[in-house]
Amino acid sequence: VFRLANELVGYGEVGLSINQAVDTFINPSYVDTILKLKQNVRSDVVFTIEITERGECKSFRTLSKTIKTLSEHGIRVALDDFGTANSSLAVLNELEIAELKIDRSFMAFPSESAKTSKAIISSIVMIAKKLGINVVAEGVETKPQFDYLYEIGCDVLQGFYIAVPITYESFKEYL
């Protein structure tokens, strides 16, 4: 992944995201390992680690310290699948995160639950904006979803409506 990111020279800022289980962040050697990996990436690559909620965080204090250290070294930290499992508003108060990724399960509209889904999504976006946190909506698959998320100021939209997954070779051809 790092090699591929380094090959994308001349295309402006490149984002590189990797998913890590929350319990990985409390490993004592984690920060050193990530910082060594980052040394192999061009300086214009925006490096983001997405915290997934697989596993259990046994030390919230260590998690917070790890995120702070990574942020100090220019590594962005995102909360993946926000709104599901153990994520709560308390997490936003305690952790220095750069990005929230709203779980695709909230993208159920248009449907009977559209009013509830839209209220939850718009509230998440509003809170994140007030905290200076970027918001990514996952699972955008229809024009009504796209239009609504754009209208409420969601920063990034991901899903089949935007683009289907492609290979690296196809991506290079697309550029």
Side-chain angles (χ1 to χ4, degrees):
V1 172
F2 295 102
R3 178 182 57 80
L4 298 177
N6 285 332
E7 289 179 13
L8 294 173
V9 176
Y11 293 103
E13 190 175 84
V14 174
L16 172 66
S17 297
I18 60 171
N19 288 12
Q20 298 279 270
V22 67
D23 54 351
T24 306
F25 279 72
I26 62 173
N27 182 324
S29 64
Y30 182 73
V31 170
D32 290 335
T33 301
I34 293 298
L35 293 179
K36 285 178 187 170
L37 288 172
K38 186 178 184 265
Q39 290 175 351
N40 297 317
V41 179
R42 293 190 340 254
S43 62
D44 63 338
V45 172
V46 178
F47 190 27
T48 303
I49 299 174
E50 299 178 10
I51 301 175
T52 64
E53 293 194 333
R54 287 178 239 124
E56 181 181 334
C57 182
K58 295 176 178 79
S59 175
F60 199 77
R61 183 176 296 177
T62 303
L63 174 63
S64 180
K65 183 179 175 186
T66 299
I67 291 172
K68 183 175 172 61
T69 302
L70 292 171
S71 296
E72 289 169 352
H73 286 89
I75 298 171
R76 301 174 78 245
V77 177
L79 286 180
D80 198 12
D81 302 327
F82 187 76
T84 63
N86 298 320
S87 65
S88 73
L89 296 177
V91 170
L92 300 179
N93 196 40
E94 301 293 328
L95 302 177
E96 294 182 28
I97 59 160
E99 184 174 273
L100 284 180
K101 297 188 79 176
I102 301 173
D103 187 70
R104 68 184 324 107
S105 64
F106 294 106
M107 301 304 147
F109 59 92
S111 74
E112 292 178 20
S113 63
K115 184 176 180 182
T116 302
S117 291
K118 286 181 172 183
I120 292 168
I121 292 167
S122 65
S123 297
I124 292 170
V125 170
M126 181 188 68
I127 291 168
K129 293 287 186 187
K130 288 188 181 265
L131 296 172
I133 298 171
N134 284 349
V135 182
V136 176
E138 298 178 305
V140 179
E141 297 181 0
T142 68
K143 183 166 179 17
Q145 291 170 339
F146 178 91
D147 291 344
Y148 178 72
L149 293 161
Y150 180 81
E151 178 185 309
I152 64 169
C154 195
D155 298 299
V156 177
L157 308 178
Q158 292 180 340
F160 291 145
Y161 185 76
I162 313 308
V164 297
I166 58 175
T167 65
Y168 177 71
E169 290 75 25
S170 297
F171 179 69
K172 282 177 44 176
E173 287 176 22
Y174 173 78
L175 294 175

